[in-house]
Amino acid sequence: EKHLVLLRDGRTLIGYLRSIDQFANLVLHQTVERIHVGKKYGDIPRGIFVVRGENVVLLGEIDLEKESDTPLQQVSIEEILEEQRVEQQAKQESEKLKVQALKERGLCVPRADTLDEY
């Protein structure tokens, strides 16, 4: 059966669940990575995918009858990757402006890469 897996880093995988163990480690077959940007999405083929259980946020079965009833528009891999890059650049620019505004007010924001992930 086809399953959707949401990972801790925000990626979405769709594939056929072949194996699972007591630690929620997964093996997915014919996996695609689905990237969403706005009302568009694109699928990147990934093949066999092994996911460590601690990275799984959500695992759910896909209803194949309702899978095609989506308001989203499927686009090519190149187009969705370009839109994702543009969205990330806009997010970075917005973050820079926010940090600059906080600095002007005398506040200091710790960088995300210096924070402990746990």
Side-chain angles (χ1 to χ4, degrees), residues 3 15 40-41 79 84 100 113:
H3 285 76
K40 298 179 182 178
Y41 75 93
E79 188 176 339
Q84 184 183 41
Q100 184 179 0
D113 59 351

Side-chain angles (χ1 to χ4, degrees), residues 1-115:
E1 293 154 1
K2 213 171 192 182
H3 285 76
L4 178 136
V5 180
L6 183 62
L7 300 180
R8 202 165 61 167
D9 64 0
R11 288 186 290 171
T12 302
L13 303 175
I14 297 175
Y16 293 94
L17 183 64
R18 292 293 176 221
S19 180
I20 188 167
D21 65 8
Q22 70 269 27
F23 304 109
N25 296 321
L26 309 174
V27 177
L28 297 170
H29 181 68
Q30 295 179 358
T31 308
V32 295
E33 180 180 348
R34 183 160 287 178
I35 298 175
H36 297 92
V37 178
K39 294 276 186 187
K40 298 179 182 178
Y41 75 93
D43 291 339
I44 302 173
R46 297 292 189 197
I48 295 177
F49 216 90
V50 178
V51 181
R52 188 176 168 118
E54 67 182 20
N55 294 317
V56 175
V57 173
L58 177 98
L59 171 66
E61 188 177 342
I62 295 177
D63 187 352
L64 297 176
E65 294 174 2
K66 294 183 181 178
E67 185 179 19
S68 59
D69 297 342
T70 177
L72 303 176
Q73 172 192 3
Q74 185 171 7
V75 296
S76 69
I77 296 170
E78 294 80 18
E79 188 176 339
I80 198 68
L81 290 175
E82 177 63 24
E83 292 208 18
Q84 184 183 41
R85 187 186 63 76
V86 168
E87 183 183 59
Q88 286 174 345
Q89 279 183 338
K91 201 178 279 188
Q92 286 175 346
E93 289 297 321
S94 171
E95 189 65 28
K96 282 181 186 177
L97 290 173
K98 185 164 64 169
V99 168
Q100 184 179 0
L102 288 172
K103 277 185 182 179
E104 289 171 358
R105 290 172 176 79
L107 299 171
C108 178
V109 178
R111 292 191 344 241
D113 59 351
T114 61
L115 297 175

